Amino acid sequence: MQDLAERCPEPLQMILIDKLAEPLLEEADKGPYIVCALQECRRMNVLLGEINKSLSDLEKGLNGQLNMTQAMEDLSEALTLGEVPGRNPFHLCSWEKHAWPSRKPLEAWFSDLLRRQQQAGPAPLRHPHPRSSLDSQCSACAALHSPP
């Protein structure tokens, strides 16, 4: 639990990202890619917020600063089993409902989260169209979060 809390990245700075995106949204060939990148950033922030809050609450519950709730118990059980919280449909704590579809175990899923978070943010806005990307990595919109 402590390892995940330490490795969990901070939320993306949406004010900066929105400022970078503003002039690009008006370009016809880049507009859809920018909208997709902005949606991905917002979804990533929701997921990161949920992860940070639930891990913080669990730590406080284990230290006796908060009463343990069923969601905290479920999170603790999922972490013990090495699975993404929310895999069990009866659990109240769910990271999976805010994330992309995946069946990977927790460690592999969290590594994906870190890679996706690095790819989201200002970088896709600099080269939003995969064919015009000058970076060795490009954003594949189909690999991002599924639309709600």
Side-chain angles (χ1 to χ4, degrees):
M1 176 186 74
Q2 190 66 24
D3 178 51
L4 290 177
E6 290 171 1
R7 291 188 314 162
C8 191
E10 292 295 317
L12 299 168
Q13 297 177 2
M14 288 308 298
I15 294 172
L16 169 69
I17 292 170
D18 286 338
K19 283 185 180 182
L20 283 171
E22 234 174 87
L24 297 172
L25 283 169
E26 296 174 10
E27 297 179 28
D29 63 330
K30 294 180 182 177
Y33 298 101
I34 298 300
V35 169
C36 183
L38 289 173
Q39 289 174 344
E40 178 70 5
C41 292
R42 287 187 175 86
R43 288 184 185 122
M44 183 61 70
N45 274 354
V46 169
L47 176 60
L48 292 174
E50 177 66 24
I51 291 171
N52 283 320
K53 181 185 179 315
S54 60
L55 287 175
S56 172
D57 287 351
L58 178 59
E59 185 176 359
K60 289 176 184 175
L62 293 173
N63 291 336
Q65 297 168 329
L66 286 176
N67 289 336
M68 287 291 285
T69 63
Q70 186 60 47
M72 289 181 204
E73 296 273 349
D74 294 342
L75 175 60
S76 178
E77 180 183 336
L79 295 177
T80 302
L81 295 174
E83 65 182 28
V84 179
R87 251 326 119 81
N88 184 332
F90 301 110
H91 280 183
L92 296 178
C93 179
S94 178
W95 298 349
E96 200 166 67
K97 72 180 178 184
H98 299 292
W100 57 94
S102 176
R103 286 284 160 216
K104 293 182 179 180
L106 182 61
E107 265 312 305
W109 182 88
F110 199 79
S111 294
D112 267 0
L113 170 78
L114 296 176
R115 282 194 300 268
R116 287 169 184 257
Q117 194 272 345
Q118 288 173 351
Q119 191 174 11
L125 299 178
R126 292 191 184 98
H127 305 289
H129 195 287
R131 284 178 274 193
S132 68
S133 178
L134 301 175
D135 294 339
S136 61
Q137 295 181 344
C138 66
S139 295
C141 290
L144 303 177
H145 283 90
S146 297

